[in-house]
Amino acid sequence: MPWKGIRDPYRIWLSEIILQQTRVDQGEKYYLNILKHYPNIQALAKADEAAVFRLWQGLGYYSRCRNLLATAKMIVEEFEGRFPENYQDILKLKGIGPYTAAAISSFAFNLPYAVVDGNVIRVLSRYFGHFQEADTTTGKRFFAELAQECLDPKHAGLYNQAIMDLGATVCKPALPNCPECPFKKTCFAYQQQKIKELPVPKKRAAVIERDLHFVVLENKSHLLIKRRSGRDIWQNLYAFPQRDDDVLMANKLNPSKKQAPDLILEQTLTHRKIKGHFYRIPVTRKPQALIDSDHLWVPISELSHFAFPRLIISFFQKLNYL
DNA sequence: AAGACGGGGAA
DNA sequence: TTCCCAGTCTT
């Protein structure tokens, strides 16, 4: 891992944000790419927001990107570019919760705060044989206290790195390599053959289906895209105006409910199954009425300048636009 | 306390 | 398919 052994809080911060709910293999190239464009927090703070989102495209959990920008600006403007050096102040930053605050505190400043992530929960629950559910308030508190007791306060960074490495490489979720584990002799789960029962799995919300009706206004060279805002999914990414969008209504280009879509594409997420209905409407020129700053009439050749969710990229690929 | 938020790799 | 990942924020 390219961030291993780094003490620069900026790089640690960036890597930890990227690795939230994201595998090392998946996040690594994003980390290197973003670091190449923005080698320090000053560069990131004055970055063009859309450009950073473009680099983030495909990683998921886009609020991380938004908070990353906000925190970079905050640190540069309020703290003269110096990363806060104590846990409580680090925890206050946007996008940084207990895990990331402990990671930065211990890796960058060797402060005695134990990280608690999926790896740590797994290792501790198996080793000690604790059947608490980790996604409840009491369960979280329990594992946080246990982790803090296990921490070697003199070597917090090393300890945190070690227990997460153990979880990632030996004490894996499925098929852990117990015979090679240095703790096998005193591990509850291994000795009692409870590996498959620990950790106790989280309750999982049902996957709900959702239909999105996208209207693609296009001529030979251009099409209309819309920046997504509000509280909905894919904030700050670009897609198309949806059926009943004000601009479509104002230009009398809204497809009727009876009209069949030209294309249907699906994308399954952790908690949603998105069904995208695409209605292609040929137009001769850019629609005029009610166009605001979120609606962009862009050349097809310049689509790569914008960040889109996977579903929309699939649409473009289907049409050979990308 | 529960739900929202992406995407991908492994079994 | 199902699980779940170096989690955090909002309601």
PDB file of all heavy atoms in Angstrom, chain C:
ATOM      1  P    DT C   1     -29.804 -13.180  -9.909  1.00  0.00           P
ATOM      2  OP1  DT C   1     -31.141 -12.805 -10.367  1.00  0.00           O
ATOM      3  OP2  DT C   1     -28.719 -12.210  -9.977  1.00  0.00           O
ATOM      4  O5'  DT C   1     -29.923 -13.771  -8.429  1.00  0.00           O
ATOM      5  C5'  DT C   1     -29.387 -13.036  -7.334  1.00  0.00           C
ATOM      6  C4'  DT C   1     -29.062 -14.020  -6.240  1.00  0.00           C
ATOM      7  O4'  DT C   1     -27.806 -14.686  -6.559  1.00  0.00           O
ATOM      8  C3'  DT C   1     -28.887 -13.347  -4.898  1.00  0.00           C
ATOM      9  O3'  DT C   1     -29.598 -14.030  -3.908  1.00  0.00           O
ATOM     10  C2'  DT C   1     -27.388 -13.348  -4.659  1.00  0.00           C
ATOM     11  C1'  DT C   1     -26.868 -14.452  -5.540  1.00  0.00           C
ATOM     12  N1   DT C   1     -25.573 -14.068  -6.182  1.00  0.00           N
ATOM     13  C2   DT C   1     -24.402 -14.502  -5.609  1.00  0.00           C
ATOM     14  O2   DT C   1     -24.377 -15.193  -4.605  1.00  0.00           O
ATOM     15  N3   DT C   1     -23.275 -14.106  -6.274  1.00  0.00           N
ATOM     16  C4   DT C   1     -23.193 -13.333  -7.417  1.00  0.00           C
ATOM     17  O4   DT C   1     -22.114 -13.037  -7.908  1.00  0.00           O
ATOM     18  C5   DT C   1     -24.453 -12.905  -7.952  1.00  0.00           C
ATOM     19  C7   DT C   1     -24.477 -12.065  -9.188  1.00  0.00           C
ATOM     20  C6   DT C   1     -25.569 -13.282  -7.325  1.00  0.00           C
ATOM     21  P    DT C   2     -29.999 -13.262  -2.586  1.00  0.00           P
ATOM     22  OP1  DT C   2     -30.991 -14.074  -1.880  1.00  0.00           O
ATOM     23  OP2  DT C   2     -30.263 -11.859  -2.962  1.00  0.00           O
ATOM     24  O5'  DT C   2     -28.645 -13.284  -1.742  1.00  0.00           O
ATOM     25  C5'  DT C   2     -28.147 -14.522  -1.263  1.00  0.00           C
ATOM     26  C4'  DT C   2     -26.854 -14.281  -0.508  1.00  0.00           C
ATOM     27  O4'  DT C   2     -25.791 -14.033  -1.437  1.00  0.00           O
ATOM     28  C3'  DT C   2     -26.904 -13.068   0.438  1.00  0.00           C
ATOM     29  O3'  DT C   2     -26.453 -13.474   1.714  1.00  0.00           O
ATOM     30  C2'  DT C   2     -25.979 -12.051  -0.211  1.00  0.00           C
ATOM     31  C1'  DT C   2     -25.020 -12.938  -0.988  1.00  0.00           C
ATOM     32  N1   DT C   2     -24.410 -12.306  -2.198  1.00  0.00           N
ATOM     33  C2   DT C   2     -23.065 -12.457  -2.404  1.00  0.00           C
ATOM     34  O2   DT C   2     -22.339 -13.081  -1.644  1.00  0.00           O
ATOM     35  N3   DT C   2     -22.589 -11.854  -3.544  1.00  0.00           N
ATOM     36  C4   DT C   2     -23.322 -11.129  -4.475  1.00  0.00           C
ATOM     37  O4   DT C   2     -22.776 -10.632  -5.450  1.00  0.00           O
ATOM     38  C5   DT C   2     -24.732 -11.010  -4.190  1.00  0.00           C
ATOM     39  C7   DT C   2     -25.600 -10.244  -5.125  1.00  0.00           C
ATOM     40  C6   DT C   2     -25.204 -11.596  -3.080  1.00  0.00           C
ATOM     41  P    DC C   3     -26.544 -12.492   2.937  1.00  0.00           P
ATOM     42  OP1  DC C   3     -26.959 -13.287   4.108  1.00  0.00           O
ATOM     43  OP2  DC C   3     -27.297 -11.290   2.540  1.00  0.00           O
ATOM     44  O5'  DC C   3     -25.024 -12.088   3.140  1.00  0.00           O
ATOM     45  C5'  DC C   3     -24.045 -13.123   3.196  1.00  0.00           C
ATOM     46  C4'  DC C   3     -22.670 -12.517   3.143  1.00  0.00           C
ATOM     47  O4'  DC C   3     -22.390 -12.067   1.808  1.00  0.00           O
ATOM     48  C3'  DC C   3     -22.490 -11.299   4.062  1.00  0.00           C
ATOM     49  O3'  DC C   3     -21.330 -11.479   4.843  1.00  0.00           O
ATOM     50  C2'  DC C   3     -22.356 -10.123   3.094  1.00  0.00           C
ATOM     51  C1'  DC C   3     -21.777 -10.794   1.858  1.00  0.00           C
ATOM     52  N1   DC C   3     -22.073 -10.112   0.584  1.00  0.00           N
ATOM     53  C2   DC C   3     -21.028  -9.877  -0.317  1.00  0.00           C
ATOM     54  O2   DC C   3     -19.882 -10.235  -0.016  1.00  0.00           O
ATOM     55  N3   DC C   3     -21.286  -9.247  -1.490  1.00  0.00           N
ATOM     56  C4   DC C   3     -22.532  -8.888  -1.787  1.00  0.00           C
ATOM     57  N4   DC C   3     -22.745  -8.281  -2.963  1.00  0.00           N
ATOM     58  C5   DC C   3     -23.626  -9.131  -0.890  1.00  0.00           C
ATOM     59  C6   DC C   3     -23.345  -9.743   0.274  1.00  0.00           C
ATOM     60  P    DC C   4     -21.209 -10.659   6.197  1.00  0.00           P
ATOM     61  OP1  DC C   4     -20.477 -11.496   7.157  1.00  0.00           O
ATOM     62  OP2  DC C   4     -22.500 -10.069   6.541  1.00  0.00           O
ATOM     63  O5'  DC C   4     -20.242  -9.485   5.752  1.00  0.00           O
ATOM     64  C5'  DC C   4     -18.989  -9.799   5.170  1.00  0.00           C
ATOM     65  C4'  DC C   4     -18.408  -8.534   4.600  1.00  0.00           C
ATOM     66  O4'  DC C   4     -18.949  -8.295   3.290  1.00  0.00           O
ATOM     67  C3'  DC C   4     -18.731  -7.275   5.422  1.00  0.00           C
ATOM     68  O3'  DC C   4     -17.616  -6.430   5.402  1.00  0.00           O
ATOM     69  C2'  DC C   4     -19.833  -6.644   4.635  1.00  0.00           C
ATOM     70  C1'  DC C   4     -19.308  -6.937   3.237  1.00  0.00           C
ATOM     71  N1   DC C   4     -20.271  -6.694   2.140  1.00  0.00           N
ATOM     72  C2   DC C   4     -19.762  -6.454   0.869  1.00  0.00           C
ATOM     73  O2   DC C   4     -18.545  -6.483   0.693  1.00  0.00           O
ATOM     74  N3   DC C   4     -20.625  -6.193  -0.139  1.00  0.00           N
ATOM     75  C4   DC C   4     -21.931  -6.170   0.096  1.00  0.00           C
ATOM     76  N4   DC C   4     -22.746  -5.903  -0.925  1.00  0.00           N
ATOM     77  C5   DC C   4     -22.467  -6.414   1.385  1.00  0.00           C
ATOM     78  C6   DC C   4     -21.601  -6.673   2.375  1.00  0.00           C
ATOM     79  P    DC C   5     -16.923  -5.997   6.788  1.00  0.00           P
ATOM     80  OP1  DC C   5     -16.595  -7.168   7.611  1.00  0.00           O
ATOM     81  OP2  DC C   5     -17.697  -4.894   7.348  1.00  0.00           O
ATOM     82  O5'  DC C   5     -15.550  -5.399   6.220  1.00  0.00           O
ATOM     83  C5'  DC C   5     -14.724  -6.204   5.396  1.00  0.00           C
ATOM     84  C4'  DC C   5     -14.320  -5.408   4.169  1.00  0.00           C
ATOM     85  O4'  DC C   5     -15.442  -5.288   3.276  1.00  0.00           O
ATOM     86  C3'  DC C   5     -13.858  -3.983   4.476  1.00  0.00           C
ATOM     87  O3'  DC C   5     -12.680  -3.724   3.743  1.00  0.00           O
ATOM     88  C2'  DC C   5     -14.998  -3.115   4.000  1.00  0.00           C
ATOM     89  C1'  DC C   5     -15.538  -3.933   2.839  1.00  0.00           C
ATOM     90  N1   DC C   5     -16.946  -3.659   2.491  1.00  0.00           N
ATOM     91  C2   DC C   5     -17.251  -3.347   1.170  1.00  0.00           C
ATOM     92  O2   DC C   5     -16.353  -3.291   0.328  1.00  0.00           O
ATOM     93  N3   DC C   5     -18.548  -3.112   0.840  1.00  0.00           N
ATOM     94  C4   DC C   5     -19.501  -3.189   1.772  1.00  0.00           C
ATOM     95  N4   DC C   5     -20.757  -2.958   1.407  1.00  0.00           N
ATOM     96  C5   DC C   5     -19.202  -3.509   3.133  1.00  0.00           C
ATOM     97  C6   DC C   5     -17.926  -3.728   3.443  1.00  0.00           C
ATOM     98  P    DA C   6     -11.358  -4.320   4.487  1.00  0.00           P
ATOM     99  OP1  DA C   6     -10.267  -4.508   3.546  1.00  0.00           O
ATOM    100  OP2  DA C   6     -11.727  -5.358   5.502  1.00  0.00           O
ATOM    101  O5'  DA C   6     -11.225  -2.914   5.205  1.00  0.00           O
ATOM    102  C5'  DA C   6     -10.402  -2.405   6.032  1.00  0.00           C
ATOM    103  C4'  DA C   6     -11.030  -1.242   6.793  1.00  0.00           C
ATOM    104  O4'  DA C   6      -9.927  -0.643   7.470  1.00  0.00           O
ATOM    105  C3'  DA C   6     -11.661  -0.128   5.957  1.00  0.00           C
ATOM    106  O3'  DA C   6     -12.497   0.632   6.818  1.00  0.00           O
ATOM    107  C2'  DA C   6     -10.433   0.644   5.531  1.00  0.00           C
ATOM    108  C1'  DA C   6      -9.578   0.555   6.786  1.00  0.00           C
ATOM    109  N9   DA C   6      -8.130   0.491   6.527  1.00  0.00           N
ATOM    110  C8   DA C   6      -7.210   1.462   6.780  1.00  0.00           C
ATOM    111  N7   DA C   6      -5.997   1.156   6.461  1.00  0.00           N
ATOM    112  C5   DA C   6      -6.119  -0.128   5.979  1.00  0.00           C
ATOM    113  C6   DA C   6      -5.166  -1.049   5.469  1.00  0.00           C
ATOM    114  N6   DA C   6      -3.861  -0.804   5.358  1.00  0.00           N
ATOM    115  N1   DA C   6      -5.605  -2.253   5.063  1.00  0.00           N
ATOM    116  C2   DA C   6      -6.921  -2.510   5.167  1.00  0.00           C
ATOM    117  N3   DA C   6      -7.923  -1.725   5.635  1.00  0.00           N
ATOM    118  C4   DA C   6      -7.431  -0.549   6.017  1.00  0.00           C
ATOM    119  P    DG C   7     -14.058   0.312   6.987  1.00  0.00           P
ATOM    120  OP1  DG C   7     -14.369  -0.442   8.203  1.00  0.00           O
ATOM    121  OP2  DG C   7     -14.536  -0.189   5.705  1.00  0.00           O
ATOM    122  O5'  DG C   7     -14.600   1.820   7.128  1.00  0.00           O
ATOM    123  C5'  DG C   7     -14.865   2.384   8.432  1.00  0.00           C
ATOM    124  C4'  DG C   7     -15.363   3.779   8.169  1.00  0.00           C
ATOM    125  O4'  DG C   7     -16.519   3.690   7.330  1.00  0.00           O
ATOM    126  C3'  DG C   7     -15.766   4.546   9.423  1.00  0.00           C
ATOM    127  O3'  DG C   7     -15.289   5.875   9.281  1.00  0.00           O
ATOM    128  C2'  DG C   7     -17.295   4.457   9.442  1.00  0.00           C
ATOM    129  C1'  DG C   7     -17.621   4.334   7.945  1.00  0.00           C
ATOM    130  N9   DG C   7     -18.810   3.531   7.676  1.00  0.00           N
ATOM    131  C8   DG C   7     -19.131   2.313   8.216  1.00  0.00           C
ATOM    132  N7   DG C   7     -20.250   1.834   7.773  1.00  0.00           N
ATOM    133  C5   DG C   7     -20.701   2.788   6.884  1.00  0.00           C
ATOM    134  C6   DG C   7     -21.870   2.815   6.086  1.00  0.00           C
ATOM    135  O6   DG C   7     -22.767   1.967   6.025  1.00  0.00           O
ATOM    136  N1   DG C   7     -21.940   3.973   5.307  1.00  0.00           N
ATOM    137  C2   DG C   7     -20.997   4.969   5.302  1.00  0.00           C
ATOM    138  N2   DG C   7     -21.223   5.997   4.495  1.00  0.00           N
ATOM    139  N3   DG C   7     -19.911   4.948   6.042  1.00  0.00           N
ATOM    140  C4   DG C   7     -19.821   3.840   6.801  1.00  0.00           C
ATOM    141  P    DT C   8     -15.623   7.008  10.384  1.00  0.00           P
ATOM    142  OP1  DT C   8     -14.496   7.946  10.371  1.00  0.00           O
ATOM    143  OP2  DT C   8     -16.084   6.401  11.634  1.00  0.00           O
ATOM    144  O5'  DT C   8     -16.859   7.753   9.691  1.00  0.00           O
ATOM    145  C5'  DT C   8     -16.674   8.359   8.417  1.00  0.00           C
ATOM    146  C4'  DT C   8     -17.891   9.182   8.051  1.00  0.00           C
ATOM    147  O4'  DT C   8     -18.975   8.308   7.686  1.00  0.00           O
ATOM    148  C3'  DT C   8     -18.413  10.079   9.183  1.00  0.00           C
ATOM    149  O3'  DT C   8     -18.559  11.380   8.661  1.00  0.00           O
ATOM    150  C2'  DT C   8     -19.745   9.445   9.579  1.00  0.00           C
ATOM    151  C1'  DT C   8     -20.163   8.742   8.299  1.00  0.00           C
ATOM    152  N1   DT C   8     -21.013   7.538   8.471  1.00  0.00           N
ATOM    153  C2   DT C   8     -22.162   7.403   7.712  1.00  0.00           C
ATOM    154  O2   DT C   8     -22.528   8.252   6.922  1.00  0.00           O
ATOM    155  N3   DT C   8     -22.866   6.237   7.927  1.00  0.00           N
ATOM    156  C4   DT C   8     -22.535   5.219   8.791  1.00  0.00           C
ATOM    157  O4   DT C   8     -23.236   4.221   8.896  1.00  0.00           O
ATOM    158  C5   DT C   8     -21.329   5.417   9.551  1.00  0.00           C
ATOM    159  C7   DT C   8     -20.888   4.352  10.530  1.00  0.00           C
ATOM    160  C6   DT C   8     -20.628   6.553   9.354  1.00  0.00           C
ATOM    161  P    DC C   9     -19.183  12.562   9.534  1.00  0.00           P
ATOM    162  OP1  DC C   9     -18.509  13.792   9.112  1.00  0.00           O
ATOM    163  OP2  DC C   9     -19.213  12.166  10.945  1.00  0.00           O
ATOM    164  O5'  DC C   9     -20.678  12.615   8.996  1.00  0.00           O
ATOM    165  C5'  DC C   9     -20.891  12.703   7.594  1.00  0.00           C
ATOM    166  C4'  DC C   9     -22.379  12.774   7.308  1.00  0.00           C
ATOM    167  O4'  DC C   9     -22.960  11.465   7.493  1.00  0.00           O
ATOM    168  C3'  DC C   9     -23.147  13.731   8.212  1.00  0.00           C
ATOM    169  O3'  DC C   9     -23.992  14.530   7.411  1.00  0.00           O
ATOM    170  C2'  DC C   9     -23.932  12.807   9.153  1.00  0.00           C
ATOM    171  C1'  DC C   9     -24.119  11.574   8.277  1.00  0.00           C
ATOM    172  N1   DC C   9     -24.250  10.304   9.036  1.00  0.00           N
ATOM    173  C2   DC C   9     -25.286   9.424   8.706  1.00  0.00           C
ATOM    174  O2   DC C   9     -26.069   9.727   7.811  1.00  0.00           O
ATOM    175  N3   DC C   9     -25.392   8.267   9.397  1.00  0.00           N
ATOM    176  C4   DC C   9     -24.524   7.968  10.363  1.00  0.00           C
ATOM    177  N4   DC C   9     -24.660   6.812  11.009  1.00  0.00           N
ATOM    178  C5   DC C   9     -23.461   8.857  10.710  1.00  0.00           C
ATOM    179  C6   DC C   9     -23.365  10.004  10.026  1.00  0.00           C
ATOM    180  P    DT C  10     -24.940  15.620   8.063  1.00  0.00           P
ATOM    181  OP1  DT C  10     -24.937  16.752   7.148  1.00  0.00           O
ATOM    182  OP2  DT C  10     -24.615  15.795   9.498  1.00  0.00           O
ATOM    183  O5'  DT C  10     -26.375  14.905   7.983  1.00  0.00           O
ATOM    184  C5'  DT C  10     -26.784  14.341   6.752  1.00  0.00           C
ATOM    185  C4'  DT C  10     -28.158  13.724   6.898  1.00  0.00           C
ATOM    186  O4'  DT C  10     -28.067  12.482   7.637  1.00  0.00           O
ATOM    187  C3'  DT C  10     -29.179  14.594   7.637  1.00  0.00           C
ATOM    188  O3'  DT C  10     -30.397  14.513   6.925  1.00  0.00           O
ATOM    189  C2'  DT C  10     -29.270  13.947   9.015  1.00  0.00           C
ATOM    190  C1'  DT C  10     -29.023  12.478   8.671  1.00  0.00           C
ATOM    191  N1   DT C  10     -28.456  11.640   9.761  1.00  0.00           N
ATOM    192  C2   DT C  10     -29.025  10.402  10.014  1.00  0.00           C
ATOM    193  O2   DT C  10     -29.981   9.971   9.413  1.00  0.00           O
ATOM    194  N3   DT C  10     -28.414   9.691  11.011  1.00  0.00           N
ATOM    195  C4   DT C  10     -27.319  10.070  11.758  1.00  0.00           C
ATOM    196  O4   DT C  10     -26.857   9.336  12.630  1.00  0.00           O
ATOM    197  C5   DT C  10     -26.784  11.377  11.444  1.00  0.00           C
ATOM    198  C7   DT C  10     -25.608  11.885  12.211  1.00  0.00           C
ATOM    199  C6   DT C  10     -27.366  12.095  10.469  1.00  0.00           C
ATOM    200  P    DT C  11     -31.613  15.460   7.296  1.00  0.00           P
ATOM    201  OP1  DT C  11     -32.178  15.889   6.015  1.00  0.00           O
ATOM    202  OP2  DT C  11     -31.181  16.460   8.299  1.00  0.00           O
ATOM    203  O5'  DT C  11     -32.640  14.462   7.997  1.00  0.00           O
ATOM    204  C5'  DT C  11     -32.960  13.247   7.333  1.00  0.00           C
ATOM    205  C4'  DT C  11     -33.794  12.385   8.250  1.00  0.00           C
ATOM    206  O4'  DT C  11     -32.924  11.689   9.166  1.00  0.00           O
ATOM    207  C3'  DT C  11     -34.803  13.152   9.116  1.00  0.00           C
ATOM    208  O3'  DT C  11     -36.027  12.457   9.116  1.00  0.00           O
ATOM    209  C2'  DT C  11     -34.188  13.131  10.495  1.00  0.00           C
ATOM    210  C1'  DT C  11     -33.475  11.788  10.468  1.00  0.00           C
ATOM    211  N1   DT C  11     -32.363  11.637  11.434  1.00  0.00           N
ATOM    212  C2   DT C  11     -32.149  10.411  12.021  1.00  0.00           C
ATOM    213  O2   DT C  11     -32.820   9.447  11.777  1.00  0.00           O
ATOM    214  N3   DT C  11     -31.106  10.386  12.894  1.00  0.00           N
ATOM    215  C4   DT C  11     -30.267  11.426  13.233  1.00  0.00           C
ATOM    216  O4   DT C  11     -29.364  11.268  14.038  1.00  0.00           O
ATOM    217  C5   DT C  11     -30.544  12.682  12.587  1.00  0.00           C
ATOM    218  C7   DT C  11     -29.712  13.881  12.888  1.00  0.00           C
ATOM    219  C6   DT C  11     -31.573  12.732  11.713  1.00  0.00           C
TER     220       DT C  11
END
